[in-house]
Amino acid sequence: MKNNAYLIKQISIFSENKPGKLAHVAKVFQDANVNMMSFSIAEAEGFGVIRALVDKPEMAFSSLSKKGIHVAYTDVIAVRMKNQPGGLYEVAAALAEAAVNIEYSYAFAGCHQATLILRVDDIDAAIDIIQKSGAYVLKPEELLCPCE
Amino acid sequence: MKNETDVRIASQRRRQLRPFDARIEEMPLENLEKLQFRYLKKLVYQVYSFSPHYRERMKANGVHPDDITCLSDITKLPFMYKEDLRNQYPTGLVVSLPEELVRYHVSSGTTGKPTVVAYTQKDIDLWAESVARGLTSIGLGRGDVIQISYGYGLFTGGLGLHYGAERIGATVVPASVGNTEKQIELIQDLEVTAIACTPSYLMHLGEVAQAMGVSIKDDTKLKTAVVGAEPWSEEMRRRLYELYGISAYDIYGTSELSGPLFTECTAMEGFHPWGDIVYCEVLEPESHTQMPDGERGELVVTMLQKEGLPIIRYRTGDISAIHHEQCRCKRTHPRIERLSGRVDDMLIIRGINVFPSQIEHTLLGLSEVGDNFMIEVSRQGVLDALMVKVELPQGFSPDKLEDLITIKRHVERELRNSLNVAAGVELVEFGSLPRFEGKAKRVIDLRETV
Amino acid sequence: MFRDKAIETLSSEGLQKLQIERLQQTLKRAQSVPFYRERCKEIGIAPHDIQTYDDVRKLPFTTKKDLQEGYPFGFLAVPMSEVVRIHTTSGTTGKPTVVAYTAEDLESWSELIARNLTMAGMTSDDIFQNMVNYGMFTGGLGFHYGSEKIGAVTIPSATGNTHRQIEMLSDFGVTAIHCTPSYAMRIVEVVEEMGMSLPKLKYGLFGAEPWSEAVRAELEKRLGVEAFDSYGMSELFGPGVAFECPEHDGLHIWHDAYYVEIIDPKTGENLPPGVRGELVVTPLLKYAMPLLRYRTGDITMLMPEPCPCGRGMRIARLTGRTDDMLIIRGINVFPSQIEHIVMQIPGVGDQFMVTIERVNHLDEMSISVEITDDVFNGELDQLTKLQSRLVDELKERLELRTTIRLVERGSLPRFEGKAKRVIDLREGM
């Protein structure tokens, strides 16, 4: 893979659909001094997957595993967009044009700009396409909001 | 001990090739017709006396039981339609007294009300007898282990085959449907020799077995299948034999007639409807004239001895042809061909009845063309024109144009032979015709209705 | 009403003579089975050694495990060509237990059920809807043949589609039904929802799972039937082994077809009438698969007093099992079977828990399974696939619908010694 520098390690966590499960994960992060920048939850019947972007993925992974929680890395890409209407459309349209499938995505908005997280079936192609479309693909170290 | 049993089974197998009841099954046709007339006469008096429905219909047709003086007078009697059965739900057509009835089966109507079949003990016995004769004619009997993988319950398939298999003294495994992996384990462990099921379930079973790493051909004793309730082709028969080493025999019958009733014999030249139980006619669906032997038309069935819910001249809607000559297996009763579709699908081309299934059947037998086809009917001047578009096989690349012309002519000749009417053929690329999930719509009729 | 009054009311010397004679014949037939031949040789007992009831105690027990080890045909006492039917019943692991019947066996079995139906009051005038599974489950075909034998009209409606079942009950003027008591409760509810009534319904024959006097009262009131309890098991032919008479005080276990003992399941010692223990049955009329002292695992007792109806031996209604067998919607399930199915599927960890509840009068089973680390690759659909594979596999194998809960590794209880993997929240039926 030639675009290695742009791969972002998302932490995916298996969680039963029960009260306190999210709090439990959050507590593990707090104890390990891991900062969560964004997360989303995908739900199925009776269980779900928490997807989290954190500042220290390796730390997060090992502390969760030590607690016996099922955890996995998932490669995603992050795209910086102007925080204004139409920003998402351009990226999505370019990917659709090239038949790259977006499996899921979520976003987090900072003070001035929004960051879109994408999980796609062909990461390498997606990075090229997004860069060609003029949008800015973030490296892991750029994820933190500059104003923080 | 084991050897002793094997020898016994082998000798029983030899015996089984004889009919279940030779006195009836090999009765001279002339005598059979006399017997049929006796049963018909009795039946007509019975329904005229006890069934308001039949009495009204007969009166409307201006026919009295006394008018039935020979077997061919059956054509004077009114038809019965599926609609009649629905309209008389639940028990309007039952003529037996409640204490004489022993069973109801109910078939769920795809449209509207269900239809009911009512049986007396004699009806159940004759149904089992009919299936037993059929199973015997394909070589099954005592010593065979028969797995019944039709649904049990209100559907007549399960209990119909069950009673027939019991009557020939075979070991019955009432597996019913579902739990396919367990069914395959049972076939292996119980040394099952024959199975009764729908064609699609049999294919499914084969695929699941393969996925489990079980070769039906080498790892089981399954050799015979009684396959029905859905149409299936000669091509499938060949595949079942090649892939699984199974000889598959068709079985015919609808719940209105009691359930599954008649099978092919080992000659595989049509079904053997037992003439002492049913009287079959094959009629041109619109003019109702009788079709000569070998020519296709609608199968119309009279159940000669049915007591609970009598069935006279029931329009099955199934397309078949009748044959009166004796079968190679020596059985004398007239045979009917395997079904070639439903009356609703029939096309009339220049006065000749053509069934899409005949075309399918012919094309399947030709290796130089693929399986996918479309039929286009149009009117050129005053004449109907039949055009069959058929795909070439996948990966076909002709060396010369002449090859294509040769194939086209060959297919046209074969179609003409089987349809008795000329058909034009257009060869098209693989993948260019529509694919269908479920029921295929292969006919485009461009003629304006006259 | 009696179907065969002389046999049904046979007592004292006549009964003893018949039973001893048939015990001897059974022991003789059992000699064709290597398992029994060896056991009898070890003990040194021959058919003519059975002269009194006490002699029966010398015979070896037969357990479900023994039958399973003989899979498929180890207990067959006749050549296969004599066998006309095979049923299977749930085993404790992957392989089922096979039961085989000769034509004589089918005849005896149907006759016993016909006797039960007649005892309940049914005749050839009745219309009988048989709302249990047909096929490999003996409940369907067993009652079907019995009802056919008394000449009633049989509607083989099997299970499913409650609305349609009720339409048929009404349209055909059905007078008698056979189903599980929990399904009958469901029928009652739907009939009431539909605002219908079933005035012709007279007899309710309920079995395949234990049920209480409270449920009887409820069914009799709301369905307008006289409710009869039915007992049987496939190893002993199927349903029809024992049945209530109109006194509704215990079930008559047919003394001409079954020799009955009650034992202490721990010591194997015989217990007197009035004391509960494990039901042990020696069938007297079985040809294809004769059994000696079969341990049913069911807990009951012999009723000490004679029944006012004049018929013979009664057992009390069943109250439980000596083993961990579960009865869910009338289907017998062993926790070991569930384990066998669940553990074979990659991605399933080594712990599971079964919870059984009753929702709308029907049993619902949910199974929590721990997942393994390697099955979780961070994607949701990998897990939903695992979940539906488990549901499908259990449906295929057990013929039961279940709910699967995927849980984290380490979240289910661990057991030292014997695991207790079942939580049964149902109140007694």
Side-chain angles (χ1 to χ4, degrees):
Chain A
M1 176 158 319
K2 60 184 198 293
N3 289 317
N4 260 337
Y6 294 98
L7 291 189
I8 306 232
K9 280 194 158 92
Q10 172 193 278
I11 298 286
S12 302
I13 305 149
F14 170 80
S15 167
E16 291 166 50
N17 220 343
K18 277 205 292 214
K21 282 287 157 185
L22 186 59
H24 180 55
V25 171
K27 182 78 171 63
V28 175
F29 283 171
Q30 190 191 349
D31 292 348
N33 199 21
V34 169
N35 184 27
M36 209 178 343
M37 290 174 285
S38 171
F39 78 93
S40 75
I41 299 178
E43 264 180 285
E45 216 188 302
F47 67 90
V49 174
I50 302 170
R51 297 158 179 160
L53 282 188
V54 295
D55 56 350
K56 287 173 272 204
E58 285 80 10
M59 186 65 180
F61 188 99
S62 66
S63 357
L64 288 167
S65 319
K66 268 184 217 144
K67 293 278 175 191
I69 296 172
H70 298 278
V71 56
Y73 289 124
T74 310
D75 289 333
V76 295
I77 47 182
V79 185
R80 178 147 300 162
M81 293 181 307
K82 290 189 195 90
N83 199 356
Q84 64 183 48
L88 174 61
Y89 170 75
E90 281 168 32
V91 174
L95 290 174
E97 178 83 356
V100 173
N101 186 32
I102 301 177
E103 285 166 9
Y104 55 83
S105 78
Y106 52 101
F108 65 102
C111 341
H112 308 293
Q113 40 209 352
T115 304
L116 177 68
I117 308 297
L118 293 171
R119 167 72 178 164
V120 293
D121 56 358
D122 185 345
I123 291 200
D124 231 14
I127 292 170
D128 288 344
I129 290 156
I130 296 168
Q131 285 177 333
K132 266 187 213 133
S133 81
Y136 185 73
V137 180
L138 278 74
K139 292 181 177 160
E141 56 271 26
E142 295 171 312
L143 256 185
L144 280 173
C145 190
C147 53
E148 275 172 29
Chain B
M1 175 90 175
K2 176 133 199 205
N3 280 341
E4 207 177 288
T5 314
D6 284 349
V7 169
R8 191 165 157 195
I9 290 170
S11 70
Q12 278 161 356
R13 273 196 176 283
R14 277 195 297 279
R15 279 214 311 275
Q16 281 154 24
L17 288 174
R18 289 169 35 197
F20 192 66
D21 186 346
R23 206 172 39 106
I24 293 277
E25 294 170 49
E26 294 175 1
M27 175 185 264
L29 196 53
E30 199 186 324
N31 295 358
L32 178 67
E33 284 173 353
K34 279 183 199 152
L35 186 69
Q36 289 180 316
F37 174 64
R38 275 219 309 275
Y39 284 138
L40 179 68
K41 190 90 183 160
K42 186 174 162 206
L43 177 69
V44 173
Y45 276 110
Q46 238 164 15
V47 298
Y48 195 81
S49 315
F50 298 114
S51 165
H53 170 87
Y54 277 108
R55 189 165 53 243
E56 276 163 34
R57 284 286 169 92
M58 284 170 70
K59 278 187 173 159
N61 273 32
V63 56
H64 186 272
D66 291 342
D67 301 333
I68 308 300
T69 56
C70 61
L71 191 54
S72 56
D73 280 342
I74 194 170
T75 55
K76 294 177 182 167
L77 294 169
F79 291 118
M80 177 183 244
Y81 297 88
K82 177 118 187 162
E83 211 38 45
D84 296 325
L85 289 162
R86 284 209 193 99
N87 292 341
Q88 300 281 348
Y89 176 87
T91 51
L93 287 168
V94 175
V95 304
S96 296
L97 297 171
E99 63 265 33
E100 292 168 339
L101 291 181
V102 300
R103 179 100 61 87
Y104 285 126
H105 276 276
V106 183
S107 75
S108 53
T110 40
T111 50
K113 287 248 173 195
T115 56
V116 175
V117 201
Y119 306 77
T120 63
Q121 189 58 51
K122 186 180 168 197
D123 293 338
I124 298 277
D125 288 346
L126 275 176
W127 179 18
E129 170 75 17
S130 183
V131 176
R133 289 185 200 164
L135 297 179
T136 307
S137 78
I138 58 175
L140 299 177
R142 213 175 147 88
D144 275 295
V145 181
I146 305 182
Q147 185 151 318
I148 313 287
S149 303
Y150 278 118
Y152 276 68
L154 290 174
F155 173 61
T156 49
L159 286 170
L161 265 302
H162 178 97
Y163 277 63
E166 196 157 82
R167 203 174 181 90
I168 60 172
T171 307
V172 179
V173 182
S176 197
V177 288
N179 209 341
T180 307
E181 288 186 17
K182 182 177 163 196
Q183 296 226 10
I184 291 159
E185 278 174 23
L186 290 180
I187 288 172
Q188 281 189 286
D189 298 341
L190 305 182
E191 305 189 352
V192 169
T193 59
I195 187 168
C197 61
T198 63
S200 45
Y201 191 69
L202 191 52
M203 291 306 284
H204 177 65
L205 196 89
E207 281 160 19
V208 173
Q210 205 164 16
M212 290 165 69
V214 174
S215 158
I216 299 230
K217 203 178 205 164
D218 302 323
D219 304 335
T220 77
K221 295 198 168 170
L222 190 57
K223 289 280 168 282
T224 308
V226 183
V227 183
E230 291 165 8
W232 56 285
S233 63
E234 289 295 325
E235 165 66 17
M236 182 161 163
R237 174 154 27 217
R238 218 183 59 226
R239 272 177 58 199
L240 287 170
Y241 189 75
E242 279 169 11
L243 289 174
Y244 308 126
I246 292 176
S247 303
Y249 298 93
D250 205 353
I251 183 163
Y252 178 71
T254 67
S255 65
E256 296 82 10
L257 308 178
S258 287
L261 281 169
F262 314 118
T263 68
E264 303 174 279
C265 67
T266 45
M268 293 188 192
E269 288 175 356
F271 297 111
H272 282 277
W274 309 112
D276 55 323
I277 297 173
V278 300
Y279 182 78
C280 292
E281 300 170 80
V282 173
L283 304 181
E284 205 291 321
E286 301 199 348
S287 66
H288 305 156
T289 54
Q290 202 167 323
M291 303 301 287
D293 269 25
E295 288 192 24
R296 290 192 175 84
E298 181 177 358
L299 180 64
V300 175
V301 177
T302 299
M303 300 294 292
L304 291 171
Q305 300 194 57
K306 208 158 174 303
E307 297 176 332
L309 197 158
I311 296 280
I312 297 179
R313 301 196 89 200
Y314 180 68
R315 302 281 299 256
T316 62
D318 290 318
I319 299 299
S320 183
I322 201 162
H323 289 268
H324 280 83
E325 80 276 4
Q326 192 179 23
C327 181
R328 281 194 287 146
C329 74
K330 301 278 190 289
R331 290 176 178 83
T332 50
H333 301 210
R335 277 164 297 143
I336 55 170
E337 286 181 11
R338 296 187 69 199
L339 307 185
S340 37
R342 301 275 307 161
V343 172
D344 313 339
D345 302 330
M346 185 180 79
L347 296 165
I348 303 175
I349 311 286
R350 280 174 248 155
I352 292 175
N353 300 342
V354 171
F355 304 101
S357 54
Q358 282 174 280
I359 296 174
E360 176 170 19
H361 186 80
T362 308
L363 294 177
L364 278 174
L366 300 172
S367 58
E368 61 264 54
V369 291
D371 297 347
N372 215 20
F373 67 98
M374 287 292 290
I375 300 166
E376 224 174 79
V377 189
S378 59
R379 187 162 285 134
Q380 295 180 348
V382 290
L383 287 179
D384 299 323
L386 177 65
M387 171 62 78
V388 178
K389 292 182 179 177
V390 60
E391 287 183 1
L392 289 162
Q394 191 163 17
F396 177 85
S397 55
D399 294 335
K400 326 183 255 316
L401 189 62
E402 283 99 283
D403 287 353
L404 285 175
I405 295 173
T406 315
I407 293 174
K408 177 174 141 75
R409 290 211 177 122
H410 180 224
V411 177
E412 282 176 348
R413 202 165 53 239
E414 290 293 324
L415 282 175
R416 196 197 159 83
N417 286 343
S418 80
L419 306 179
N420 288 321
V421 64
V425 168
E426 190 183 322
L427 300 173
V428 299
E429 267 175 58
F430 179 83
S432 64
L433 295 177
R435 260 67 181 160
F436 300 95
E437 299 249 342
K439 199 170 157 54
K441 285 201 178 66
R442 299 194 191 274
V443 180
I444 302 173
D445 199 334
L446 301 167
R447 294 173 295 186
E448 284 170 26
T449 38
V450 187
Chain C
M1 276 192 297
F2 290 90
R3 183 165 169 88
D4 187 342
K5 191 166 183 181
I7 284 287
E8 290 174 44
T9 58
L10 193 65
S11 64
S12 55
E13 278 155 50
L15 179 64
Q16 176 156 1
K17 186 166 173 285
L18 182 83
Q19 287 189 325
I20 294 293
E21 201 178 284
R22 288 187 175 177
L23 279 164
Q24 289 175 351
Q25 288 161 356
T26 297
L27 187 55
K28 205 164 165 186
R29 287 196 293 270
Q31 300 309 306
S32 309
V33 179
F35 173 88
Y36 286 127
R37 198 166 49 234
E38 281 158 28
R39 294 279 167 103
C40 291
K41 210 170 156 192
E42 274 168 33
I43 302 166
I45 194 165
H48 60 261
D49 293 332
I50 305 292
Q51 294 298 334
T52 67
Y53 290 143
D54 282 344
D55 294 333
V56 177
R57 299 181 186 188
K58 298 176 195 155
L59 294 173
F61 289 118
T62 314
T63 63
K64 190 167 185 82
K65 191 160 163 282
D66 295 328
L67 292 186
Q68 263 175 259
E69 280 164 8
Y71 179 88
F73 294 132
F75 278 80
L76 211 57
V78 298
M80 262 308 274
S81 54
E82 302 290 324
V83 174
V84 299
R85 177 92 62 81
I86 291 173
H87 282 275
T88 59
T89 171
S90 46
T92 51
T93 58
K95 291 285 182 190
T97 307
V98 169
V99 284
Y101 306 74
T102 64
E104 294 91 332
D105 289 334
L106 284 189
E107 178 62 27
S108 308
W109 181 24
S110 317
E111 182 60 32
L112 290 178
I113 294 184
R115 205 187 271 178
N116 294 333
L117 302 182
T118 307
M119 177 164 69
M122 286 171 61
T123 68
S124 64
D125 291 337
D126 280 294
I127 302 175
F128 171 67
Q129 190 158 315
N130 196 15
M131 299 189 284
V132 294
N133 240 324
Y134 276 64
M136 296 309 266
F137 175 62
T138 47
L141 285 168
F143 268 84
H144 182 95
Y145 274 57
S147 142
E148 203 154 75
K149 198 135 204 162
I150 63 164
V153 187
T154 312
I155 305 178
S157 67
T159 50
N161 204 340
T162 306
H163 277 88
R164 176 121 181 266
Q165 299 270 12
I166 293 169
E167 268 168 36
M168 288 191 290
L169 289 172
S170 166
D171 293 346
F172 293 101
V174 170
T175 58
I177 55 171
H178 171 226
C179 59
T180 61
S182 45
Y183 192 62
M185 286 301 290
R186 178 86 195 122
I187 294 267
V188 167
E189 273 195 351
V190 180
V191 166
E192 287 170 2
E193 266 167 36
M194 291 164 83
M196 289 176 69
S197 68
L198 300 167
K200 296 212 169 150
L201 204 53
K202 277 196 290 193
Y203 308 104
L205 320 178
F206 305 122
E209 62 188 12
W211 51 296
S212 67
E213 290 302 322
V215 169
R216 187 202 303 273
E218 194 84 348
L219 286 172
E220 294 198 334
K221 192 174 106 212
R222 290 164 74 184
L223 209 50
V225 294
E226 182 176 355
F228 292 86
D229 194 2
S230 163
Y231 172 76
M233 59 167 43
S234 299
E235 293 89 331
L236 308 175
F237 283 151
V241 175
F243 207 84
E244 277 182 352
C245 69
E247 300 288 332
H248 300 288
D249 183 20
L251 292 81
H252 290 282
I253 185 157
W254 298 112
H255 51 209
D256 56 322
Y258 301 101
Y259 178 74
V260 184
E261 296 166 88
I262 302 289
I263 63 158
D264 178 332
K266 292 208 178 74
T267 63
E269 290 300 313
N270 284 59
L271 296 172
V275 180
R276 283 187 189 271
E278 181 178 357
L279 176 68
V280 171
V281 179
T282 305
L284 302 175
L285 294 170
K286 278 187 96 205
Y287 283 81
M289 268 179 61
L291 294 175
L292 302 179
R293 303 186 86 197
Y294 187 68
R295 296 192 55 164
T296 64
D298 286 313
I299 295 173
T300 181
M301 63 174 180
L302 295 176
M303 311 272 287
E305 303 297 326
C307 184
C309 78
R311 292 183 184 85
M313 183 77 78
R314 280 176 303 161
I315 54 171
R317 300 188 69 195
L318 289 111
T319 47
R321 298 271 313 163
T322 57
D323 57 12
D324 56 0
M325 188 180 88
L326 302 164
I327 303 175
I328 296 164
R329 297 177 171 223
I331 296 172
N332 298 347
V333 180
F334 290 93
S336 50
Q337 262 179 301
I338 299 175
E339 175 166 354
H340 184 82
I341 296 165
V342 167
M343 294 299 172
Q344 273 181 345
I345 296 172
V348 172
D350 49 9
Q351 299 295 328
F352 71 97
M353 279 300 283
V354 179
T355 310
I356 305 156
E357 291 166 282
R358 188 163 283 134
V359 181
N360 281 333
H361 303 290
L362 293 179
D363 300 334
E364 297 289 347
M365 177 163 73
S366 66
I367 303 174
S368 300
V369 300
E370 289 190 3
I371 58 171
T372 58
D373 257 343
D374 52 339
V375 73
F376 183 63
N377 64 357
E379 301 300 338
L380 195 68
D381 64 333
Q382 183 88 358
L383 296 175
T384 47
K385 266 185 215 148
L386 173 64
Q387 196 175 27
S388 48
R389 166 134 193 237
L390 280 159
V391 171
D392 292 349
E393 205 80 19
L394 287 159
K395 171 91 191 68
E396 276 275 295
R397 292 264 147 185
L398 304 180
E399 284 161 48
L400 272 177
R401 191 162 29 84
T402 52
T403 306
I404 293 291
R405 297 209 178 94
L406 297 182
V407 302
E408 278 165 33
R409 177 190 49 199
S411 63
L412 294 178
R414 263 61 181 165
F415 300 95
E416 304 255 336
K418 195 168 163 50
K420 238 191 89 64
R421 300 196 188 278
V422 179
I423 303 171
D424 198 336
L425 299 172
R426 293 175 293 187
E427 311 209 337
M429 262 303 280

